[in-house]
């Protein structure tokens, strides 16, 4: 059954019937706007359903596509927007239509592709990078590095004998990711690969979903809501519902949404008065943690001032809540609408987010060129103060200990200041030296320090390193454990396909030890 021409305006019909009467760019735009709804009137060919119930588009008369009809495929293969050639009835070809940017359009049921054969050039480049840098995890090979933890696949290898290390080449047909140097090693070690194969396939489909060209309604965020509508922070479902997000009924869309929201919501879930972390059993909050968070919550949830619009109703406003995000990387380049969600949890308070770290402006040079360092701006700070009336963001491409030694942020107030470290790698051998000077300075401030980690082992390694570095000069505010608002989407380490983790998996907190002083009565 062919659709009627009543679905299309007369202007579009005229453009499709007589290609020479209108500019070619308009014809191509009309063709793309119609999508899979092809008109059937006069000289137009209609659309028909193939064996899978999907629409197979037939070319219009007088128009020939450079791609063959078989390239459309009956299995929902991706179709690229390639230029069309318009031919007159006499067979004379006119100039080709302007070239458009090629972008794969993947259907929801066609997201699985092997990395090497992906319709996305970016993923194909990623596959080439993995094949050049990642090593086969089969235990017959020798170790290429020291194992990071007891569960590291590298621990199964021998440190001396065995085959020489080999890069991954073979892509698992179930997950589509290069995981072994050959099909024989993949089949021999298939039982170990099964532990992460389903997760790797999920990573594969999520990455293709981001590049599918579809519309992402899960990235539309709600604004302010009345204060009487309390936010439920039990888990992601209750949070999104109570914050009046658009309903997300697909697990993949939920994973994409939480990948970004995990950063502001993790901070808010710890500092909010309705936090799921408490001092009760299995609440993970310590007595010292209750003291520090009570001070912050006193400022984050102030009583109504009773101020009015006239002169007599003017009331003094407290300073903004400063959150120092140290070692900032990906979180500093998040869309600002994501960070605005933090202010909606505390509608009576203004926030000042301060991103600090040498990588805080990575891949953002075109967006914000680094300013020159002048006497008025000695550290080249980039200030974004027109986001909302309650949010200001400053970025420093500098190490924190340099700013601390200069007293740039002095004084610190435990009622208005907080430090946040996303995946800092305090105890990681490759990055612990960068925190050697910073951690003692953080403890001097007596301000709460929130830390996240990729795994439970990662968090415990960071805690052991901090205790070893500063001795007993720290108070634990929150025991390490799983974060209620971790990212539900898994991330893949391109240097090691066996290393799969999720953002902000766990959270814990500490601060510098505070000593209680007692006064001894003088002898009479």
């Amino acid at each position: 059954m062919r659709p009627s021409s009543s679905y299309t305006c007369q202007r579009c019909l005229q453009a499709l019937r007589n290609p020479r009467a209108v500019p070619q760019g308009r014809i191509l735009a009309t063709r793309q706007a119609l999508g899979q709804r092809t008109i059937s009137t006069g000289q137009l060919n209609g659309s028909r359903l193939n064996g899978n119930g999907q629409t197979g588009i037939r070319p219009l008369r007088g128009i020939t596509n450079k791609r063959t009809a078989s390239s459309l495929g009956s299995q929902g293969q991706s179709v690229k927007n390639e230029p069309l050639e318009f031919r007159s009835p006499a067979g004379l070809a006119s100039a080709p239509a302007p070239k458009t940017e090629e972008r794969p359009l993947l259907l929801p049921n066609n997201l699985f592709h092997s990395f090497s054969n992906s319709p996305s050039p970016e993923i194909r480049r990623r596959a080439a990078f993995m094949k050049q840098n990642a090593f086969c995890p089969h235990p017959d090979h020798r170790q290429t590095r020291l194992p990071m933890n007891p569960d590291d696949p590298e621990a199964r290898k021998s440190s001396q004998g065995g085959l020489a290390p080999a890069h991954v080449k073979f892509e698992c047909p179930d997950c589509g990711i290069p995981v072994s140097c050959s099909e024989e090693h993949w089949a021999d070690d298939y039982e170990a690969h099964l532990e992460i194969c389903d997760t790797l396939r999920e990573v594969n489909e999520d990455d293709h979903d981001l590049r599918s060209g579809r519309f992402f309604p899960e990235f539309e965020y709600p604004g302010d809501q009345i204060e009487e509508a309390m936010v439920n922070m039990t888990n992601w479902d209750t949070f999104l519902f109570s914050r009046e997000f658009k309903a997300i009924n697909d697990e993949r869309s939920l994973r994409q949404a939480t990948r970004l929201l995990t950063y502001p919501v993790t901070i808010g879930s710890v500092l909010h008065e309705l936090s799921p972390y408490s001092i009760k059993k299995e609440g993970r909050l310590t007595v010292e943690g209750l003291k520090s968070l009570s001070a912050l919550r006193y400022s984050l949830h102030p009583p109504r001032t009773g101020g009015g619009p006239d002169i007599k109703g003017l009331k003094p406003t407290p300073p903004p809540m400063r959150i120092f995000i140290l070692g900032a990387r990906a979180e500093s380049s998040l869309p600002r609408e994501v960070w605005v969600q933090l202010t909606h949890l505390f509608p009576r308070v203004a926030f000042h987010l301060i991103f600090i770290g040498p990588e805080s402006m990575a891949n953002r040079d075109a967006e914000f060129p680094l300013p020159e360092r002048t006497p008025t701006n000695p550290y080249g700070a980039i200030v974004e103060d027109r986001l909302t009336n309650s949010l200001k963001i400053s970025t420093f491409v500098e190490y924190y200990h340099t700013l601390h030694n200069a007293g740039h942020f002095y004084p610190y107030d435990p009622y208005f200041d907080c430090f946040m470290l996303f995946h800092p790698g305090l105890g990681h051998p490759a990055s612990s030296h960068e925190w050697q000077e910073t951690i003692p300075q953080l403890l001097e401030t007596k301000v709460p320090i929130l830390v996240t980690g990729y795994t439970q082992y990662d968090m415990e390694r960071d805690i052991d390193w901090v205790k070893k570095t500063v001795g007993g000069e720290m108070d634990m505010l929150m025991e390490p454990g799983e974060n209620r608002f971790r990212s539900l989407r898994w991330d893949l380490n391109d240097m090691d396909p066996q290393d799969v983790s999720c953002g902000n998996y766990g959270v814990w907190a500490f601060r510098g030890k505070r000593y209680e002083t007692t006064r001894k009565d003088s002898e009479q």
Side-chain angles (χ1 to χ4, degrees), residues 78 82 128 230 239 262 304 307 396 426 433 440 482 505:
S78 60
E82 294 192 356
M230 306 301 291
F239 172 79
T262 179
R304 294 184 180 273
F396 292 84
L426 301 178
H433 65 280
E482 185 175 353
Y505 167 82

Side-chain angles (χ1 to χ4, degrees), residues 246-271:
K246 289 186 177 180
I248 301 178
N249 301 319
D250 181 50
E251 292 186 1
R252 179 171 292 111
S253 298
L254 182 61
R255 292 196 296 268
Q256 305 289 20
T258 58
R259 184 64 182 90
L260 301 182
L261 290 173
T262 179
Y263 292 98
V265 179
T266 295
I267 299 176
S269 65
V270 178
L271 302 182

Side-chain angles (χ1 to χ4, degrees), residues 42-273:
Q43 297 180 352
L44 304 181
N45 286 334
S47 62
R48 60 184 178 182
L49 298 179
N50 57 24
N52 293 333
Q54 299 173 352
T55 305
I57 306 176
R58 296 190 299 177
L60 303 176
R61 292 181 181 177
I63 302 177
T64 60
N65 195 337
K66 286 185 176 180
R67 299 186 60 163
T68 60
S70 61
S71 65
L72 293 174
S74 61
Q75 302 296 331
Q77 297 294 332
S78 60
V79 181
K80 298 182 179 180
N81 296 331
E82 294 192 356
L84 305 177
E85 289 184 356
F86 303 96
R87 299 184 180 272
S88 61
L92 300 177
S94 59
K99 218 172 191 179
T100 58
E101 182 182 358
E102 295 185 358
R103 184 177 185 183
L105 300 176
L106 303 179
L107 301 177
N109 61 349
N110 186 36
L111 294 177
F112 176 74
H113 300 271
S114 63
F115 271 28
S116 297
N117 300 319
S118 171
S120 171
E122 183 179 352
I123 295 183
R124 293 198 299 268
R125 289 192 296 267
R126 186 178 179 186
F129 177 85
M130 295 172 66
K131 292 181 179 181
Q132 293 177 358
N133 296 275
F135 290 95
C136 178
H138 196 278
D140 288 349
H141 294 285
R142 291 194 298 269
Q143 289 184 354
T144 58
R145 56 176 174 79
L146 295 177
M148 303 303 300
N149 56 69
D151 298 330
D152 192 338
E154 203 72 13
R156 302 185 303 156
K157 300 180 181 180
S158 173
S159 58
Q160 297 179 355
L163 301 176
H167 292 288
V168 295
K169 296 180 180 179
F170 180 76
E171 293 179 333
C172 172
D174 297 326
C175 63
I177 294 178
V179 292
S180 297
C181 62
S182 63
E183 184 176 0
E184 291 75 13
H185 274 189
W186 168 79
D188 187 44
D189 202 31
Y190 185 68
E191 184 176 355
H193 175 68
L194 276 180
E195 298 178 0
I196 61 171
C197 186
D198 291 340
T199 304
L200 292 180
R201 184 184 178 96
E202 188 177 284
V203 171
N204 185 329
E205 294 180 354
D206 288 348
D207 285 345
H208 281 96
D209 179 55
L210 284 180
R211 298 161 178 83
S212 64
R214 70 174 179 91
F215 178 69
F216 292 86
E218 59 268 30
F219 293 151
E220 293 184 355
Y221 306 112
D224 292 324
Q225 65 185 35
I226 59 175
E227 294 188 35
E228 289 73 17
M230 306 301 291
V231 179
N232 190 327
M233 291 192 169
T234 304
N235 50 45
W236 275 117
D237 292 332
T238 59
F239 172 79
L240 296 176
F241 177 78
S242 58
R243 271 290 292 127
E244 300 179 357
F245 277 76
K246 289 186 177 180
I248 301 178
N249 301 319
D250 181 50
E251 292 186 1
R252 179 171 292 111
S253 298
L254 182 61
R255 292 196 296 268
Q256 305 289 20
T258 58
R259 184 64 182 90
L260 301 182
L261 290 173
T262 179
Y263 292 98
V265 179
T266 295
I267 299 176
S269 65
V270 178
L271 302 182
H272 203 275
E273 63 179 356

Side-chain angles (χ1 to χ4, degrees), residues 11 78 92 130 140 170 182 214 222 228 269 296 340 348 360 364 368 389 414 421 430 441 458 503 506 519:
R11 185 177 181 182
S78 60
L92 300 177
M130 295 172 66
D140 288 349
F170 180 76
S182 63
R214 70 174 179 91
E228 289 73 17
S269 65
L296 291 173
V340 170
R348 303 183 191 174
S360 58
R364 298 181 63 196
F368 288 108
N389 58 352
L421 281 64
Q441 296 175 344
D458 184 30
R519 181 175 182 180

